[in-house]
Amino acid sequence: MPYKTVETGEFAGWLCWADDPFESHAGPYYFREDEHGPVAAFRARPHQMNGAGFMHGGCLMTFADFALFALAQPDLAGDHAVTVSFASEFLAGAAQDEWIQARGEVLRNGRSLVFVRGLVTAEGRACLNFSGTIKRVAR
Amino acid sequence: MPYKTVETGEFAGWLCWADDPFESHAGPYYFREDEHGPVAAFRARPHQMNGAGFMHGGCLMTFADFALFALAQPDLAGDHAVTVSFASEFLAGAAQDEWIQARGEVLRNGRSLVFVRGLVTAEGRACLNFSGTIKRVAR
Amino acid sequence: MPYKTVETGEFAGWLCWADDPFESHAGPYYFREDEHGPVAAFRARPHQMNGAGFMHGGCLMTFADFALFALAQPDLAGDHAVTVSFASEFLAGAAQDEWIQARGEVLRNGRSLVFVRGLVTAEGRACLNFSGTIKRVAR
Amino acid sequence: MPYKTVETGEFAGWLCWADDPFESHAGPYYFREDEHGPVAAFRARPHQMNGAGFMHGGCLMTFADFALFALAQPDLAGDHAVTVSFASEFLAGAAQDEWIQARGEVLRNGRSLVFVRGLVTAEGRACLNFSGTIKRVAR
């Protein structure tokens, strides 16, 4: 199975990829589906900050890359896929202990390419706008 | 001082930011200036891989974000700056133990905005094309 | 005055920039504010097609660039601004005679930079996802 | 034949697409191969300017989209292709009568996707950095 359900703590009931070393290390990041559709989230922790005390842009982009796949899960329907292109704008900083969340939508689910866009927020404040193209691959 | 010199190991003589938790955690990543200009690099390690055994896109983008500032160091001349926008294309995978490197150039060093583009390679193979806009800030 | 009101035809009551040669030539493109906020639109015409008979990507991007400013009009409040960065994904083609429209939102209205994202549709079908950073300038 | 050779004027000997209405209308834009590889170019004319008297960003992006395909011509080897994603940064303005040129390179020529990046210059001054992903299609 490509993902597992978290059993305890703040994210009990959420899913995360079962075996992705960098996502566990940089995150961990979580996702689930609620009444508004797929949502990805995590709680900002000290190892994710930059030298100025705000969340590192690389952590936000890693989470956004994770979110591309979380948001596309229903459309991918089990297919493997890789990121082809990624674009983002940094709107505001995020601070330690804040609730970081991403929502968005699949704009087109093509035969080969899936187009996704989303917005990362910190306690509801827009932090990172992102869009990405992912490509189905045989594994 | 914003950065420190590595004293031992494969990257002895290279620089890294002295106090950036996420870059130390996701990387560490290094930079220096050689006869061709600024260069950023690291050695691919197990915690940077994804579930398919290749380098996670988030690790590549975190390194590229690091590289934006490494490449702009001479132009920033000590100014603080933040990433405003970032775009990238994923060209090929990178594998554990490979030498990952970024080179590139400042395309415009404006009063407020600095425009940078670069290419991440793995053992010389093009992996990630990236461009970013960074903005000088008072701290 | 930076824009004028169209007096006749399908776009009577819409606005367009009064003196922008390329937008008149490539478009013309129009905008107004309705009950859902700012909206930009035009009717696809023969000179906007590519060699395959669909709307040229450059026409879609020119319209998206126009739309960045139309969508940001209320936030710019008369300030002059220029595009700093632009990213887009091409989701589907648009055909001659279709109604092409863009909606979107200002994600952050900063002191210097304004961040905008939007979606171009053709007869309601998603065609181009776009985001851009624009910068206030003194003129 | 998808392109024709210009016979007279400043661009005699250059190529342009034979039947692309918007490129003829917004441009025309030209390309050829010289000793440094593929190059695209045009001469800035009044209809390509914006309201401030500089080249419109949409004209620069339309030219960059044209250049993606011009730069990829040798790699496409006659295949048809469409733009999938496009990213750019605006570095400086271009003025009427200036010589506008784009050079760049194919970063990866995949089975389905071709990745290209380039730089538009005006009289040698960097104006627009761009990268794009194009996709081979059957027609």
Side-chain angles (χ1 to χ4, degrees), chain C residues 50-111:
Chain C
N50 65 18
F54 294 102
M55 183 166 288
H56 194 287
C59 178
L60 284 168
M61 293 198 290
T62 300
F63 175 58
D65 188 39
F66 167 88
L68 288 179
F69 292 83
L71 295 168
Q73 266 307 91
D75 292 274
L76 286 173
D79 289 349
H80 290 292
V82 296
T83 307
V84 165
S85 70
F86 179 89
S88 58
E89 290 91 34
F90 292 81
L91 307 168
Q96 196 178 314
D97 297 329
E98 290 191 319
W99 175 266
I100 314 297
Q101 184 176 295
R103 288 196 184 268
E105 57 266 321
V106 170
L107 296 171
R108 177 180 164 86
N109 180 15
R111 200 170 51 84

Side-chain angles (χ1 to χ4, degrees), chain A residues 22-23 25 56 84 86 88 90, chain B residues 23 25 56 84 86 88 90:
Chain A
F22 190 69
E23 282 181 7
H25 184 79
H56 194 286
V84 165
F86 179 89
S88 58
F90 292 82
Chain B
E23 282 181 7
H25 184 77
H56 195 286
V84 164
F86 179 88
S88 58
F90 291 82

Side-chain angles (χ1 to χ4, degrees), chain A residues 19-23 25-26 29 46-52 56-59 61-62 65-66 83-90 139, chain B residues 19-23 25-26 29 46-52 56-59 61-62 65-66 83-90 139:
Chain A
D19 184 25
D20 191 305
F22 190 69
E23 282 181 7
H25 184 79
Y29 307 122
H47 71 273
Q48 295 161 334
M49 301 298 117
N50 64 18
H56 194 286
C59 178
M61 292 198 289
T62 300
D65 188 38
F66 166 88
T83 307
V84 165
S85 70
F86 179 89
S88 58
E89 290 90 35
F90 292 82
R139 196 183 274 189
Chain B
D19 184 24
D20 191 306
F22 190 69
E23 282 181 7
H25 184 77
Y29 307 122
H47 72 272
Q48 295 161 335
M49 301 298 117
N50 65 17
H56 195 286
C59 179
M61 292 197 289
T62 301
D65 188 39
F66 167 89
T83 307
V84 164
S85 70
F86 179 88
S88 58
E89 290 91 34
F90 291 82
R139 196 182 275 189

Side-chain angles (χ1 to χ4, degrees), chain C residues 19-23 25-26 46-52 56 58-59 61-62 65 83-90 139, chain D residues 19-23 25-26 46-52 56-59 61-62 65 83-90 139:
Chain C
D19 184 25
D20 191 305
F22 190 69
E23 282 181 7
H25 184 78
H47 71 273
Q48 295 161 333
M49 301 297 117
N50 65 18
H56 194 287
C59 178
M61 293 198 290
T62 300
D65 188 39
T83 307
V84 165
S85 70
F86 179 89
S88 58
E89 290 91 34
F90 292 81
R139 195 182 275 189
Chain D
D19 184 25
D20 191 306
F22 190 70
E23 283 181 7
H25 184 78
H47 71 274
Q48 296 162 333
M49 301 298 118
N50 65 19
H56 194 287
C59 179
M61 293 198 288
T62 300
D65 188 38
T83 307
V84 164
S85 70
F86 179 88
S88 58
E89 290 91 34
F90 292 82
R139 195 183 275 189

Side-chain angles (χ1 to χ4, degrees), chain A residues 44-130:
Chain A
R45 291 163 57 207
H47 71 273
Q48 295 161 334
M49 301 298 117
N50 64 18
F54 295 102
M55 183 165 290
H56 194 286
C59 178
L60 284 169
M61 292 198 289
T62 300
F63 174 60
D65 188 38
F66 166 88
L68 288 180
F69 291 84
L71 294 168
Q73 267 308 91
D75 292 275
L76 285 173
D79 289 349
H80 290 291
V82 297
T83 307
V84 165
S85 70
F86 179 89
S88 58
E89 290 90 35
F90 292 82
L91 307 168
Q96 197 178 313
D97 298 329
E98 290 191 319
W99 174 266
I100 314 298
Q101 183 175 296
R103 287 195 185 270
E105 57 266 320
V106 170
L107 294 172
R108 177 180 165 86
N109 179 17
R111 201 170 50 85
S112 152
L113 299 176
V114 182
F115 298 87
V116 186
R117 75 167 181 185
L119 190 64
V120 178
T121 56
E123 303 288 341
R125 199 173 63 250
C127 286
L128 185 82
N129 180 51
F130 66 94

